[in-house]
Amino acid sequence: MQAFQTGEIPHGFAFTETGGLIHYKYTIVLAVPMANQSGWSGDGYISFGSDWADVRLRVAIHDGQTWATVKTINITAGGIRVGDQLPASSQKISIGRVKTGPNDTVDNAPASWLLQYQTT
């Protein structure tokens, strides 16, 4: 069986092009069922899409003890969804927009996240 949830990534840059925090109010944190565990939650996946402009995201995943995985993901408006399987024990996902350069002003292009769980 498969279950999914989707939502919008907040407008506004959360991070500079070098990874410095601008403000956390431009991020979203998803509290998720622990991924890839036996039982109902099954394999967990997160993916992203955008339109009208390319979007760069910082995605951090908390494993119950620390923010173990931090990635920068580039989403192209004309491309496919971009994502990955969640690491085992994932409990929180933090998502924020990152400036692509000092002159980047497109902080409000439509961008969304998709969270999927599949059990066998």
Side-chain angles (χ1 to χ4, degrees):
M1 186 168 92
Q2 193 171 73
F4 70 94
Q5 180 74 38
T6 188
E8 186 176 337
I9 296 167
H11 293 177
F13 290 118
F15 302 95
T16 66
E17 62 277 9
T18 59
L21 179 66
I22 294 172
H23 204 287
Y24 55 82
K25 70 181 178 182
Y26 300 115
T27 65
I28 186 170
V29 176
L30 308 176
V32 300
M34 286 197 306
N36 311 311
Q37 304 289 313
S38 60
W40 76 270
S41 65
D43 294 335
Y45 301 86
I46 185 91
S47 59
F48 306 94
S50 71
D51 195 8
W52 302 103
D54 297 347
V55 175
R56 181 174 290 164
L57 300 175
R58 175 193 176 269
V59 179
I61 300 174
H62 197 280
D63 67 3
Q65 296 183 6
T66 187
W67 292 100
T69 305
V70 179
K71 294 182 180 180
T72 301
I73 297 174
N74 293 304
I75 308 164
T76 58
I80 62 172
R81 269 190 337 221
V82 177
D84 208 350
Q85 186 171 6
L86 295 171
S89 301
S90 299
Q91 293 187 20
K92 298 187 287 187
I93 304 168
S94 173
I95 307 164
R97 294 175 191 249
V98 179
K99 293 182 78 144
T100 59
N103 297 322
D104 187 357
T105 60
V106 183
D107 67 349
N108 61 352
S112 64
W113 53 267
L114 172 65
L115 182 65
Q116 296 174 269
Y117 283 85
Q118 183 162 345
T119 58
T120 55

